[in-house]
Amino acid sequence: MKVKYFAWVRERIGKAEETIEPPADVRTVGELITWLTARGEGYAYAFEKPKVIRAAIDQTHVQADAAISGAREIAFFPPMTGG
Amino acid sequence: MTAIVTVRVQHEDFDTAAEIAALSHGRTDIGAVVSFSGLCRGNDHDTPIAALTLEHYPGMAEAEIMRHAEEAMARWPLQGLTVIHRHGRIKPGENIVLVVTASSHRQAAFEAAEFLMDYLKTNAPFWKREETADGGSWVEAKSHDDAATARWTS
């Protein structure tokens, strides 16, 4: 699946997007954050406060307990500050 | 007459007067047009700002604004609405966002414009980065914006 990062999440991880293949036991957005956190320092820094991180599956806002099965694109970003 | 819903996410500036005219021109069923313009300030808590850079999530930004535009059309008797949100580098004094709502009466137009702005602030995938003398920093989300949005669901 494709993962996209925005704003300071993107800066801390050091890339705007990547393609990942998490193991089958990673089932939810929250579990995906935990799995990504273990991938390196940038990820750990980006996800150091997981409750702050917002997520979208296929461009729709979701909560941490949302299932990632079948997702084409998952995005992680800080709280929005537009307007 | 049919309602006109326009949603645009663009780097280019917009002309507020022209957008209002486009929504209301030739209509005799519109009694109220409310517009809100969001501009880039030159300072934030006494810190001078050289510019704002607005990052957005292409595709989701348009879809999220359209979803809320459709919700506004369902909640209020509107003759039309326009939402334009800019991205990229924006200097103090320049436009960031425009919401225009048109209705037969003012209350629906006022309320729908406030509803749209509250949701744009908290749900549309845009992030502001301020350029200051020390480099810059991402603008933090404000809890009073969340509170403003929450009143529409209570």
Side-chain angles (χ1 to χ4, degrees), chain A:
Chain A
M1 64 184 67
K2 189 191 277 186
V3 191
K4 290 190 171 194
Y5 308 110
F6 292 95
W8 54 254
V9 174
R10 171 181 53 74
E11 288 182 344
R12 290 179 180 189
I13 290 172
K15 58 183 102 172
E17 64 175 74
E18 62 185 322
T19 300
I20 57 164
E21 286 180 31
D25 62 344
V26 174
R27 295 186 183 88
T28 66
V29 166
E31 288 168 3
L32 182 59
I33 288 177
T34 305
W35 182 76
L36 285 167
T37 299
R39 297 189 91 202
E41 265 182 41
Y43 293 93
Y45 183 30
F47 295 118
E48 64 180 354
K49 292 177 184 163
K51 283 185 179 165
V52 174
I53 301 296
R54 306 298 168 94
I57 291 182
D58 295 334
Q59 306 196 346
T60 300
H61 293 291
V62 294
Q63 301 297 317
D65 60 359
I68 62 171
S69 164
R72 293 184 304 277
E73 181 176 297
I74 300 185
F76 292 105
F77 40 77
M80 287 67 68
T81 54

